[in-house]
């Protein structure tokens, strides 16, 4: 019996078309700038995002770190949400490796940063203070439930940031889910951004990789930072080839995942001991109630015996996240709900 893995869209496998593209990819040494497939991916990513240039990197974490280290010098400060992946789930890499100080402000329940909070966090010109260099936002906002932030909000935040001569970075690991939600091209979602990292893996199914997009000058500097972090990947065309399919084809099918998330949320409301907390884009969060028949560990094990893989969201005991993706269809959702009813009744 096949396994149904709901932990994340990071678990997606490449499609058959991606595997074929990998086998046939024309490659070269990308550190010399000579891998035609990587060059194509970088150029076409830039076009799709309405920016001048792109840089293929190993992961979303690496893309964010490179972006922050390119914008900021050591000892400078970034303004970032206290629920941002960069702050919570990237080991504090910008501080430990880049010497960059995070100045956190609360993420609002709708996933945004409040403009007043951003303005209050900007340091004045005083030699006691670090210099504020950048504001970073995450779209969709993962920790709070895959919440999409509107293009209008993104532009207003960019304008505020630029009014104070700060750079604006978007962790767009799932920016195509936001653009799908608002039915707006990604380029319009990130018009005001100085840099964007987006992931080709996750819901877009490529096995590896993210792309940073920004101005030509920014990307030239980012390329240097990527190298010092050990991110020069040589014949990376075999990874860029499925990335092109992710960029052009898989990015256009995400509405199905959002519809499936809504379907799962509705179906879960019939399961005893489960309380659906939220559904947005391709995420569903639910709480395993205190009076549920099984403890979280027993629940995970029981579901595993039905070949369904679930795990609590990092840092939480009873809060579970189910993430929809290409490999989860309605039949599989029905199987999951049926199994949950069996183990929790
Ligand atoms: N997020 C992972 C886990 O690390 C939590 C997941 O399963 O959702 N930005 C955002 C908003 C992300 O959600 C993630 C991955 C990243 C960056 C990092 O991407 P990778 O895993 O490619 O380094």
């Amino acid at each position: 019996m096949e396994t149904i893995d709901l932990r994340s869209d990071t678990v997606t496998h490449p499609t058959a078309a991606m595997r074929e593209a990998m086998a046939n990819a024309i490659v070269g040494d990308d550190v010399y700038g000579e891998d035609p497939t990587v060059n194509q991916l970088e150029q076409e990513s830039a076009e799709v995002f309405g920016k001048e240039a792109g840089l293929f990197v190993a992961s979303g974490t690496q893309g964010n770190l490179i972006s922050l280290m390119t914008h900021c010098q050591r000892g400078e400060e970034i303004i970032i949400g206290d629920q941002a992946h960069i702050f919570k789930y990237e080991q504090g890499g910008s501080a430990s490796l880049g010497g960059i100080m995070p100045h956190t402000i609360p993420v609002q329940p709708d996933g945004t940063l409040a403009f007043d909070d951003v303005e209050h966090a900007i340091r004045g010109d005083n030699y006691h203070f670090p210099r504020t260099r950048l504001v970073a936002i995450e779209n969709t906002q993962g920790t709070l439930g895959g919440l999409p932030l509107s293009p209008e909000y993104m532009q207003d935040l960019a304008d505020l940031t630029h009014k104070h001569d700060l750079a604006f970075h978007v962790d767009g690991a799932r920016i195509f889910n936001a653009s799908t939600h608002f039915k707006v091209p990604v380029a319009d979602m990130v018009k005001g951004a100085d840099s964007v990292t987006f992931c080709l893996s996750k819901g877009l199914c490529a096995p590896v990789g993210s792309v940073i997009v920004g101005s030509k000058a920014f990307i030239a500097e980012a390329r240097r930072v990527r190298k010092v972090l050990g991110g020069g990947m040589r014949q990376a065309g075999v990874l860029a080839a499925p990335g092109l399919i992710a960029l052009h084809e898989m990015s256009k099918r995400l509405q199905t995942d959002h519809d499936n998330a809504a379907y799962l949320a509705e179906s879960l409301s019939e399961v005893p001991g489960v309380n659906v907390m939220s559904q947005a884009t391709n995420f569903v969060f639910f709480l395993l109630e205190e009076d549920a028949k099984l403890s979280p560990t027993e629940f995970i094990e029981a579901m595993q015996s039905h070949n369904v893989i679930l795990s609590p969201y990092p840092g939480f005991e009873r809060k579970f996240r189910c993430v929809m993706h290409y490999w989860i269809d309605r039949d599989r959702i029905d199987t999951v709900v049926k199994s949950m009813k069996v183990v929790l009744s």
Side-chain angles (χ1 to χ4, degrees):
M1 198 185 176
E2 60 155 354
T3 295
I4 304 174
D5 194 340
L6 297 173
R7 288 171 299 172
S8 181
D9 46 11
T10 60
V11 303
T12 47
H13 292 188
T15 63
M18 286 179 171
R19 288 177 188 272
E20 197 186 328
M22 292 173 84
N24 296 322
I26 301 168
V27 298
D29 190 330
D30 180 49
V31 174
Y32 289 107
E34 290 173 5
D35 187 306
T37 315
V38 171
N39 292 343
Q40 185 187 348
L41 174 66
E42 292 178 342
Q43 195 187 323
E44 292 180 11
S45 295
E47 281 162 21
V48 168
F49 279 77
K51 305 290 180 202
E52 288 175 2
L55 184 69
F56 186 43
V57 296
S59 65
T61 302
Q62 193 186 55
N64 286 329
L65 178 60
I66 291 172
S67 298
L68 300 190
M69 286 177 67
T70 304
H71 284 296
C72 306
Q73 299 298 311
R74 298 185 73 80
E76 291 184 336
E77 194 170 69
I78 60 167
I79 296 170
I80 182 138
D82 59 359
Q83 301 301 315
H85 194 277
I86 290 175
F87 179 63
K88 283 189 89 171
Y89 297 124
E90 297 182 11
Q91 270 193 33
S94 59
S96 61
L97 301 175
I100 300 162
M101 189 151 117
H103 187 153
T104 56
I105 58 176
V107 175
Q108 301 301 310
D110 66 356
T112 61
L113 299 176
F115 296 145
D116 276 356
D117 289 345
V118 173
E119 285 202 296
H120 285 137
I122 298 170
R123 305 281 190 161
D125 183 14
N126 179 314
Y127 59 60
H128 293 90
F129 299 156
R131 287 200 174 107
T132 308
R133 185 61 70 199
L134 171 135
V135 175
I137 191 88
E138 182 176 315
N139 196 359
T140 61
Q141 211 297 332
T143 325
L144 294 188
L147 296 170
L149 311 188
S150 72
E152 295 78 21
Y153 172 78
M154 296 289 281
Q155 189 58 50
D156 289 348
L157 184 58
D159 291 344
L160 176 76
T161 302
H162 293 147
K163 188 176 99 186
H164 292 279
D165 284 332
L166 305 176
F168 182 45
H169 174 71
V170 178
D171 175 357
R174 297 184 180 84
I175 192 73
F176 280 104
N177 292 91
S179 91
T180 299
H181 174 86
F182 290 108
K183 303 186 181 10
V184 161
V186 273
D188 293 342
M189 298 292 306
V190 298
K191 245 188 204 140
D194 299 295
S195 55
V196 183
T197 303
F198 71 94
C199 293
L200 300 161
S201 54
K202 307 197 171 52
L204 303 188
C205 278
V208 176
S210 293
V211 180
I212 308 170
V213 290
S215 70
K216 266 190 191 144
F218 176 82
I219 293 296
E221 275 307 300
R223 197 174 288 278
R224 280 186 62 80
V225 178
R226 183 184 69 172
K227 188 73 177 76
V228 79
L229 293 175
M233 292 191 287
R234 308 294 177 184
Q235 288 72 29
V238 288
L239 300 175
L244 281 161
I245 296 175
L247 177 71
H248 294 303
E249 293 173 31
M250 302 304 277
S251 60
K252 300 197 168 69
R253 56 154 302 284
L254 297 175
Q255 188 59 50
T256 305
D257 296 342
H258 298 185
D259 294 344
N260 284 346
Y263 177 70
L264 173 68
E266 200 186 308
S267 310
L268 283 179
S269 62
E270 298 158 13
V271 180
V274 161
N275 184 1
V276 176
M277 300 166 73
S278 68
Q279 183 269 312
T281 59
N282 61 330
F283 282 22
V284 178
F285 275 96
F286 70 82
L287 199 69
L288 186 68
E289 289 169 347
E290 294 281 346
D291 59 1
K293 196 182 141 200
L294 302 177
S295 72
T297 311
E298 290 166 341
F299 173 59
I300 291 162
E301 282 170 9
M303 288 303 288
Q304 205 142 14
S305 69
H306 286 249
N307 288 303
V308 178
I309 306 190
L310 287 164
S311 66
Y313 199 57
F316 298 90
E317 203 200 341
R318 294 190 162 267
K319 187 169 156 183
F320 287 77
R321 180 184 66 163
C322 299
V323 185
M324 298 298 104
H325 53 74
Y326 181 74
W327 298 104
I328 307 287
D329 59 14
R330 295 268 168 138
D331 284 350
R332 290 184 174 107
I333 294 172
D334 289 340
T335 305
V336 168
V337 174
K338 213 166 113 193
S339 302
M340 275 199 202
K341 282 181 182 162
V342 171
V343 304
L344 288 173
S345 293

